[in-house]
Amino acid sequence: MVPKYSFVVPVYNEEKSLSEAYRRISSVMEQMDGPVELIWVNDGSRDRSLQLLRHLQQQDPRVCYVSLARNFGHQIAVTAGLNFVRGEAVVILDADLQDPPELIPKLVEKWQQGYQVVYAQRTQRHQESWFKRFTAYFFYRLLKQLADVDIPTDTGDFCLLDRQVVEILNRMPERNRYIRGLRSWIGFQQTAVKFKREPRFAGDVKYTFGKSLALAVNGLVSFSKVPLRLSTYVGLLSAIVAMFMVLLVLYWRIFVPHSPLTGFTIILVAIFFLGAVQLVSIGILGEYIGRIYEEVKGRPLYTLAEVSGFGDWGLNSKDQPSAEGHLRGSTEIANELS
Ligand code: UDP
Ligand code: MG
Protein backbone atom coordinates (compact mmCIF):
# COMPACT_ATOMS: atom_id res chain seq x y z
CA MET A 1 0.00 0.00 0.00
CA VAL A 2 1.42 3.36 -1.00
CA PRO A 3 -0.24 6.00 1.15
CA LYS A 4 -1.66 9.04 -0.55
CA TYR A 5 -1.41 11.17 2.56
CA SER A 6 1.10 11.27 5.39
CA PHE A 7 0.35 12.97 8.69
CA VAL A 8 3.38 13.89 10.78
CA VAL A 9 2.88 14.51 14.50
CA PRO A 10 5.76 15.43 16.85
CA VAL A 11 5.31 14.16 20.39
CA TYR A 12 7.15 15.28 23.50
CA ASN A 13 5.68 14.12 26.82
CA GLU A 14 2.13 14.06 25.50
CA GLU A 15 0.80 10.95 27.28
CA LYS A 16 -2.32 12.85 28.34
CA SER A 17 -3.26 13.97 24.83
CA LEU A 18 -2.18 10.99 22.74
CA SER A 19 -5.26 8.80 22.77
CA GLU A 20 -7.63 11.69 22.19
CA ALA A 21 -5.34 12.97 19.42
CA TYR A 22 -5.33 9.53 17.83
CA ARG A 23 -9.12 9.33 18.08
CA ARG A 24 -9.67 12.68 16.38
CA ILE A 25 -6.95 12.26 13.78
CA SER A 26 -8.07 8.76 12.82
CA SER A 27 -11.65 9.87 12.33
CA VAL A 28 -10.32 12.48 9.90
CA MET A 29 -8.22 9.77 8.24
CA GLU A 30 -11.40 7.86 7.48
CA GLN A 31 -12.84 10.80 5.57
CA MET A 32 -9.84 11.08 3.24
CA ASP A 33 -10.02 10.00 -0.38
CA GLY A 34 -7.03 7.67 -0.18
CA PRO A 35 -4.89 5.67 2.21
CA VAL A 36 -3.25 7.65 5.01
CA GLU A 37 -0.19 6.88 7.09
CA LEU A 38 0.08 8.47 10.52
CA ILE A 39 3.69 9.07 11.52
CA TRP A 40 4.33 9.95 15.15
CA VAL A 41 7.74 11.27 16.04
CA ASN A 42 8.63 10.66 19.65
CA ASP A 43 11.06 13.44 20.53
CA GLY A 44 12.71 11.75 23.50
CA SER A 45 9.65 11.83 25.76
CA ARG A 46 10.26 10.95 29.39
CA ASP A 47 6.70 9.90 30.13
CA ARG A 48 4.67 6.97 28.76
CA SER A 49 4.26 8.46 25.27
CA LEU A 50 6.48 5.89 23.56
CA GLN A 51 4.66 2.94 25.17
CA LEU A 52 1.36 4.41 24.01
CA LEU A 53 2.72 4.82 20.48
CA ARG A 54 3.91 1.20 20.43
CA HIS A 55 0.45 0.17 21.52
CA LEU A 56 -1.27 2.26 18.83
CA GLN A 57 1.06 0.85 16.21
CA GLN A 58 0.18 -2.72 17.12
CA GLN A 59 -3.53 -1.99 16.87
CA ASP A 60 -3.59 0.05 13.69
CA PRO A 61 -1.44 -0.78 10.64
CA ARG A 62 -1.74 2.81 9.37
CA VAL A 63 0.23 3.99 12.38
CA CYS A 64 4.03 4.26 12.24
CA TYR A 65 6.44 5.90 14.60
CA VAL A 66 9.98 7.14 14.71
CA SER A 67 11.59 7.51 18.10
CA LEU A 68 14.54 9.87 18.48
CA ALA A 69 17.30 8.93 20.88
CA ARG A 70 16.82 12.08 22.96
CA ASN A 71 14.90 15.34 22.91
CA PHE A 72 16.04 17.22 19.83
CA GLY A 73 13.35 19.88 19.80
CA HIS A 74 10.17 20.38 17.84
CA GLN A 75 11.69 21.54 14.54
CA ILE A 76 14.09 18.60 14.34
CA ALA A 77 11.32 16.18 15.32
CA VAL A 78 9.22 17.42 12.41
CA THR A 79 12.26 17.16 10.14
CA ALA A 80 12.78 13.54 11.16
CA GLY A 81 9.13 12.78 10.41
CA LEU A 82 9.43 14.39 6.98
CA ASN A 83 12.41 12.15 6.24
CA PHE A 84 10.13 9.13 6.51
CA VAL A 85 6.97 10.19 4.68
CA ARG A 86 5.76 8.31 1.63
CA GLY A 87 2.52 10.13 0.80
CA GLU A 88 1.90 12.56 -2.04
CA ALA A 89 0.68 15.19 0.38
CA VAL A 90 2.05 15.65 3.87
CA VAL A 91 0.29 17.31 6.80
CA ILE A 92 2.21 18.49 9.87
CA LEU A 93 0.22 18.97 13.07
CA ASP A 94 0.77 19.14 16.83
CA ALA A 95 -0.10 16.33 19.21
CA ASP A 96 -1.81 18.58 21.73
CA LEU A 97 -4.80 19.20 19.42
CA GLN A 98 -4.15 22.92 19.24
CA ASP A 99 -4.13 22.39 15.50
CA PRO A 100 -7.59 20.92 14.90
CA PRO A 101 -7.30 17.79 12.70
CA GLU A 102 -10.78 18.56 11.36
CA LEU A 103 -9.19 21.36 9.32
CA ILE A 104 -7.16 18.88 7.25
CA PRO A 105 -9.87 18.27 4.59
CA LYS A 106 -9.88 22.04 3.96
CA LEU A 107 -6.11 22.03 3.49
CA VAL A 108 -6.44 19.09 1.11
CA GLU A 109 -9.10 20.90 -0.89
CA LYS A 110 -6.61 23.70 -1.61
CA TRP A 111 -3.93 21.15 -2.49
CA GLN A 112 -6.30 19.59 -5.01
CA GLN A 113 -6.80 23.04 -6.50
CA GLY A 114 -3.09 23.06 -7.27
CA TYR A 115 -1.36 24.69 -4.31
CA GLN A 116 1.85 22.98 -3.19
CA VAL A 117 1.95 24.63 0.22
CA VAL A 118 -1.18 25.24 2.25
CA TYR A 119 -0.49 26.71 5.66
CA ALA A 120 -3.00 27.22 8.42
CA GLN A 121 -3.12 30.78 9.67
CA ARG A 122 -4.40 31.59 13.13
CA THR A 123 -7.08 34.21 13.43
CA GLN A 124 -7.40 33.72 17.17
CA ARG A 125 -5.40 32.22 19.96
CA HIS A 126 -7.62 30.83 22.64
CA GLN A 127 -6.60 30.81 26.26
CA GLU A 128 -2.95 31.31 25.60
CA SER A 129 -1.34 33.70 28.01
CA TRP A 130 -1.51 37.42 27.44
CA PHE A 131 2.29 37.42 27.36
CA LYS A 132 2.55 34.69 24.70
CA ARG A 133 -0.02 36.33 22.44
CA PHE A 134 1.65 39.72 22.78
CA THR A 135 5.20 38.48 22.14
CA ALA A 136 4.07 36.26 19.25
CA TYR A 137 2.17 39.15 17.68
CA PHE A 138 5.16 41.44 17.94
CA PHE A 139 7.68 38.83 16.81
CA TYR A 140 5.86 37.79 13.63
CA ARG A 141 5.59 41.40 12.55
CA LEU A 142 9.26 42.10 13.29
CA LEU A 143 10.24 39.00 11.35
CA LYS A 144 8.14 40.10 8.40
CA GLN A 145 10.00 43.42 8.36
CA LEU A 146 13.47 41.94 8.66
CA ALA A 147 13.43 38.61 6.84
CA ASP A 148 14.63 38.22 3.27
CA VAL A 149 11.67 36.00 2.43
CA ASP A 150 8.05 36.80 2.98
CA ILE A 151 7.12 34.71 6.01
CA PRO A 152 3.36 35.10 6.54
CA THR A 153 2.36 36.36 9.99
CA ASP A 154 0.62 34.15 12.56
CA THR A 155 1.44 30.85 10.91
CA GLY A 156 2.89 27.94 12.78
CA ASP A 157 4.02 24.58 11.51
CA PHE A 158 0.46 23.34 10.91
CA CYS A 159 0.38 22.96 7.14
CA LEU A 160 0.06 20.69 4.14
CA LEU A 161 3.07 20.21 1.89
CA ASP A 162 3.19 18.60 -1.52
CA ARG A 163 5.70 15.77 -1.85
CA GLN A 164 7.76 17.95 -4.22
CA VAL A 165 8.21 20.53 -1.45
CA VAL A 166 8.98 17.86 1.17
CA GLU A 167 11.73 16.47 -1.00
CA ILE A 168 13.32 19.89 -1.31
CA LEU A 169 13.04 20.38 2.45
CA ASN A 170 14.62 16.97 3.00
CA ARG A 171 17.55 17.96 0.87
CA MET A 172 18.23 21.10 2.88
CA PRO A 173 21.15 20.25 5.13
CA GLU A 174 20.87 23.13 7.55
CA ARG A 175 20.80 22.43 11.26
CA ASN A 176 19.10 25.50 12.57
CA ARG A 177 15.81 24.67 11.00
CA TYR A 178 13.04 27.17 11.11
CA ILE A 179 10.52 25.18 9.14
CA ARG A 180 7.93 27.88 8.63
CA GLY A 181 10.68 30.07 7.14
CA LEU A 182 12.17 27.35 4.94
CA ARG A 183 8.67 26.58 3.73
CA SER A 184 8.25 30.17 2.52
CA TRP A 185 11.73 30.23 1.06
CA ILE A 186 10.97 27.25 -1.17
CA GLY A 187 8.29 29.10 -3.07
CA PHE A 188 5.75 27.41 -5.40
CA GLN A 189 2.08 28.17 -5.07
CA GLN A 190 1.29 28.90 -1.46
CA THR A 191 -1.96 29.77 0.21
CA ALA A 192 -3.50 30.14 3.65
CA VAL A 193 -6.49 28.59 5.35
CA LYS A 194 -7.65 30.51 8.40
CA PHE A 195 -8.43 28.79 11.68
CA LYS A 196 -8.92 29.38 15.38
CA ARG A 197 -6.07 28.00 17.45
CA GLU A 198 -7.61 25.94 20.20
CA PRO A 199 -6.39 25.60 23.76
CA ARG A 200 -4.13 22.70 24.60
CA PHE A 201 -6.08 19.47 25.16
CA ALA A 202 -4.04 18.38 28.17
CA GLY A 203 -0.63 18.67 29.76
CA ASP A 204 1.72 21.62 29.89
CA VAL A 205 3.19 23.68 27.12
CA LYS A 206 6.43 22.05 25.98
CA TYR A 207 7.73 25.25 24.51
CA THR A 208 9.11 26.96 27.58
CA PHE A 209 9.92 30.66 27.38
CA GLY A 210 13.56 29.76 26.69
CA LYS A 211 12.67 27.42 23.82
CA SER A 212 10.30 29.97 22.28
CA LEU A 213 12.96 32.65 22.54
CA ALA A 214 15.53 30.34 20.92
CA LEU A 215 13.09 29.60 18.09
CA ALA A 216 12.46 33.31 17.60
CA VAL A 217 16.20 34.15 17.51
CA ASN A 218 16.68 31.27 15.12
CA GLY A 219 14.00 32.59 12.80
CA LEU A 220 15.54 36.05 12.77
CA VAL A 221 19.14 34.98 12.39
CA SER A 222 18.41 32.31 9.76
CA PHE A 223 16.39 34.60 7.57
CA SER A 224 17.84 38.04 8.01
CA LYS A 225 21.21 39.73 7.88
CA VAL A 226 19.79 42.97 9.24
CA PRO A 227 21.05 42.31 12.81
CA LEU A 228 24.60 42.07 11.43
CA ARG A 229 24.20 45.39 9.69
CA LEU A 230 22.76 46.87 12.84
CA SER A 231 26.20 47.17 14.41
CA THR A 232 27.44 49.10 11.38
CA TYR A 233 24.54 51.51 11.70
CA VAL A 234 24.92 51.94 15.44
CA GLY A 235 28.68 52.35 14.94
CA LEU A 236 28.13 55.13 12.43
CA LEU A 237 25.58 56.75 14.68
CA SER A 238 27.91 56.75 17.65
CA ALA A 239 30.69 58.22 15.50
CA ILE A 240 28.36 61.09 14.68
CA VAL A 241 27.42 61.47 18.34
CA ALA A 242 31.11 61.50 19.25
CA MET A 243 31.87 64.27 16.74
CA PHE A 244 28.97 66.24 18.07
CA MET A 245 30.35 65.79 21.57
CA VAL A 246 33.76 67.12 20.52
CA LEU A 247 32.10 70.27 19.19
CA LEU A 248 30.07 70.56 22.37
CA VAL A 249 33.12 70.26 24.60
CA LEU A 250 35.00 72.82 22.52
CA TYR A 251 32.05 75.15 22.79
CA TRP A 252 31.93 74.72 26.55
CA ARG A 253 35.69 75.20 26.89
CA ILE A 254 35.54 78.51 25.05
CA PHE A 255 32.22 79.98 26.11
CA VAL A 256 31.25 78.31 29.42
CA PRO A 257 34.59 77.86 31.18
CA HIS A 258 33.19 76.54 34.46
CA SER A 259 30.66 74.04 33.11
CA PRO A 260 30.62 70.92 35.31
CA LEU A 261 29.67 68.76 32.32
CA THR A 262 33.05 68.91 30.64
CA GLY A 263 34.63 66.74 33.28
CA PHE A 264 34.20 63.08 34.03
CA THR A 265 30.53 62.83 33.26
CA ILE A 266 30.82 63.06 29.55
CA ILE A 267 33.74 60.65 29.44
CA LEU A 268 31.92 58.11 31.54
CA VAL A 269 28.82 58.33 29.40
CA ALA A 270 30.87 57.87 26.26
CA ILE A 271 32.73 54.87 27.68
CA PHE A 272 29.57 53.13 28.76
CA PHE A 273 27.80 53.89 25.53
CA LEU A 274 30.60 52.62 23.33
CA GLY A 275 31.20 49.62 25.57
CA ALA A 276 27.57 48.66 25.28
CA VAL A 277 27.52 49.08 21.53
CA GLN A 278 30.62 46.92 21.16
CA LEU A 279 29.38 44.16 23.42
CA VAL A 280 26.02 44.00 21.70
CA SER A 281 27.73 43.90 18.30
CA ILE A 282 30.02 41.10 19.40
CA GLY A 283 27.00 39.24 20.72
CA ILE A 284 25.23 39.53 17.39
CA LEU A 285 28.36 38.39 15.54
CA GLY A 286 28.53 35.49 17.97
CA GLU A 287 25.01 34.37 17.05
CA TYR A 288 26.01 34.07 13.43
CA ILE A 289 29.42 32.55 14.06
CA GLY A 290 27.89 30.00 16.42
CA ARG A 291 25.58 28.94 13.64
CA ILE A 292 28.45 28.68 11.15
CA TYR A 293 30.22 26.45 13.68
CA GLU A 294 27.12 24.26 14.07
CA GLU A 295 26.78 23.87 10.31
CA VAL A 296 30.45 23.18 9.73
CA LYS A 297 30.55 20.33 12.22
CA GLY A 298 28.14 18.53 9.93
CA ARG A 299 26.67 16.22 12.53
CA PRO A 300 23.47 14.37 11.68
CA LEU A 301 20.34 16.29 12.61
CA TYR A 302 19.14 13.58 14.98
CA THR A 303 19.81 10.05 16.16
CA LEU A 304 17.27 7.25 16.00
CA ALA A 305 16.43 4.83 18.78
CA GLU A 306 13.48 3.02 17.27
CA VAL A 307 11.54 2.93 14.01
CA SER A 308 8.38 0.93 13.52
CA GLY A 309 5.44 0.39 11.22
CA PHE A 310 7.00 1.27 7.89
CA GLY A 311 6.45 -2.18 6.45
CA ASP A 312 8.95 -3.88 4.19
CA TRP A 313 11.45 -1.15 4.00
CA GLY A 314 11.30 -0.99 7.80
CA LEU A 315 14.59 0.22 9.05
CA ASN A 316 16.14 -1.26 12.04
CA SER A 317 17.26 1.02 14.74
CA LYS A 318 20.89 0.40 13.95
CA ASP A 319 20.54 2.42 10.75
CA GLN A 320 21.37 5.95 11.72
CA PRO A 321 20.74 9.03 9.65
CA SER A 322 23.70 10.40 7.76
CA ALA A 323 25.06 13.90 8.15
CA GLU A 324 22.48 15.05 5.60
CA GLY A 325 19.85 13.90 8.03
CA HIS A 326 18.21 11.23 5.95
CA LEU A 327 18.58 7.53 5.71
CA ARG A 328 17.55 7.40 2.12
CA GLY A 329 15.93 9.84 -0.25
CA SER A 330 12.17 9.67 0.03
CA THR A 331 11.93 9.30 -3.76
CA GLU A 332 13.91 6.12 -3.51
CA ILE A 333 11.50 4.80 -0.92
CA ALA A 334 8.48 5.68 -3.02
CA ASN A 335 10.05 4.01 -6.06
CA GLU A 336 10.75 0.89 -4.11
CA LEU A 337 7.19 0.68 -2.95
CA SER A 338 5.52 1.22 -6.28
N1 UDP B 1 7.35 19.19 20.86
C1 UDP B 1 8.40 18.35 20.49
N2 UDP B 1 9.65 18.58 21.05
C2 UDP B 1 9.87 19.60 21.93
C3 UDP B 1 8.80 20.47 22.26
C4 UDP B 1 7.55 20.23 21.72
O1 UDP B 1 8.23 17.43 19.71
O2 UDP B 1 11.01 19.74 22.38
C5 UDP B 1 6.00 18.94 20.28
C6 UDP B 1 4.87 18.85 21.29
O3 UDP B 1 4.69 17.54 21.74
C7 UDP B 1 3.68 19.33 20.49
C8 UDP B 1 4.31 20.35 19.54
O4 UDP B 1 5.68 20.05 19.48
O5 UDP B 1 3.10 18.30 19.72
C9 UDP B 1 4.08 21.79 19.97
O6 UDP B 1 4.52 21.98 21.28
P1 UDP B 1 3.73 22.91 22.30
O7 UDP B 1 2.28 22.60 22.25
O8 UDP B 1 4.38 22.82 23.63
O9 UDP B 1 4.02 24.34 21.71
P2 UDP B 1 3.00 25.54 21.31
O10 UDP B 1 1.70 24.91 20.92
O11 UDP B 1 2.91 26.38 22.51
O12 UDP B 1 3.69 26.21 20.18
MG1 MG C 1 0.68 23.43 21.64
Side-chain angles (χ1 to χ4, degrees):
M1 178 206 73
V2 187
K4 183 167 181 191
Y5 300 99
S6 304
F7 296 175
V8 173
V9 191
V11 175
Y12 178 51
N13 297 344
E14 300 283 6
E15 61 180 7
K16 293 200 192 106
S17 316
L18 270 183
S19 44
E20 177 65 7
Y22 170 71
R23 195 187 64 74
R24 277 177 59 185
I25 295 172
S26 62
S27 80
V28 171
M29 283 160 79
E30 261 122 55
Q31 299 160 25
M32 309 297 286
D33 62 338
V36 185
E37 63 175 355
L38 175 56
I39 304 179
W40 303 92
V41 183
N42 173 36
D43 186 17
S45 300
R46 279 182 291 261
D47 63 359
R48 289 180 50 252
S49 299
L50 181 59
Q51 280 95 305
L52 292 173
L53 293 182
R54 285 193 191 119
H55 185 68
L56 285 179
Q57 202 275 313
Q58 274 156 15
Q59 298 206 321
D60 184 343
R62 300 170 302 177
V63 171
C64 332
Y65 65 83
V66 175
S67 183
L68 308 186
R70 66 168 170 87
N71 179 243
F72 280 89
H74 179 215
Q75 303 290 301
I76 297 294
V78 171
T79 303
L82 291 180
N83 288 164
F84 282 85
V85 298
R86 297 167 288 181
E88 287 161 41
V90 177
V91 178
I92 302 168
L93 72 161
D94 284 355
D96 59 0
L97 293 169
Q98 279 195 284
D99 305 333
E102 292 73 24
L103 193 76
I104 295 174
K106 283 204 187 134
L107 303 180
V108 169
E109 212 173 283
K110 291 276 180 193
W111 175 64
Q112 281 161 346
Q113 287 167 18
Y115 292 97
Q116 282 89 356
V117 175
V118 188
Y119 49 83
Q121 192 166 31
R122 310 180 271 268
T123 52
Q124 256 177 312
R125 282 171 169 259
H126 270 295
Q127 290 174 15
E128 283 183 294
S129 70
W130 172 88
F131 181 71
K132 176 145 187 170
R133 285 197 312 237
F134 175 76
T135 46
Y137 181 87
F138 179 71
F139 167 72
Y140 283 110
R141 271 134 198 98
L142 179 73
L143 186 64
K144 200 175 171 70
Q145 289 300 313
L146 297 186
D148 322 322
V149 291
D150 193 14
I151 301 174
T153 51
D154 303 321
T155 57
D157 292 320
F158 186 21
C159 66
L160 178 146
L161 303 173
D162 187 82
R163 128 150 263 112
Q164 205 179 359
V165 172
V166 173
E167 274 174 30
I168 298 171
L169 262 181
N170 282 348
R171 257 180 245 133
M172 289 186 173
E174 58 197 272
R175 249 124 276 276
N176 290 293
R177 297 181 95 78
Y178 187 64
I179 291 173
R180 52 201 90 154
L182 296 175
R183 183 177 74 197
S184 303
W185 182 90
I186 289 176
F188 294 101
Q189 294 290 321
Q190 309 211 352
T191 188
V193 169
K194 301 236 190 284
F195 80 111
K196 278 189 205 157
R197 185 137 161 103
E198 280 165 35
R200 217 169 208 290
F201 175 72
D204 302 321
V205 180
K206 304 301 174 307
Y207 261 99
T208 53
F209 176 70
K211 276 189 178 176
S212 296
L213 187 68
L215 184 72
V217 171
N218 220 346
L220 279 177
V221 173
S222 305
F223 285 93
S224 174
K225 288 192 274 304
V226 175
L228 272 178
R229 259 172 246 143
L230 211 62
S231 33
T232 321
Y233 298 148
V234 180
L236 284 176
L237 190 76
S238 54
I240 293 168
V241 171
M243 273 191 285
F244 179 72
M245 281 208 259
V246 170
L247 293 180
L248 202 65
V249 172
L250 276 179
Y251 172 83
W252 277 329
R253 271 283 148 91
I254 297 165
F255 297 104
V256 200
H258 300 297
S259 165
L261 282 173
T262 46
F264 288 119
T265 331
I266 211 154
I267 296 171
L268 268 182
V269 169
I271 289 175
F272 274 96
F273 177 67
L274 280 180
V277 168
Q278 285 174 359
L279 287 177
V280 170
S281 311
I282 293 172
I284 294 173
L285 269 182
E287 281 294 330
Y288 285 84
I289 293 174
R291 277 172 175 71
I292 298 172
Y293 180 54
E294 288 282 308
E295 300 293 342
V296 164
K297 279 191 285 195
R299 287 187 189 149
L301 293 179
Y302 54 87
T303 48
L304 286 172
E306 203 178 315
V307 172
S308 180
F310 291 90
D312 287 342
W313 70 280
L315 299 143
N316 58 62
S317 59
K318 284 177 226 99
D319 294 335
Q320 288 295 330
S322 65
E324 288 77 45
H326 344 293
L327 297 138
R328 316 189 243 169
S330 28
T331 331
E332 240 173 89
I333 297 160
N335 288 345
E336 250 169 64
L337 284 166
S338 52

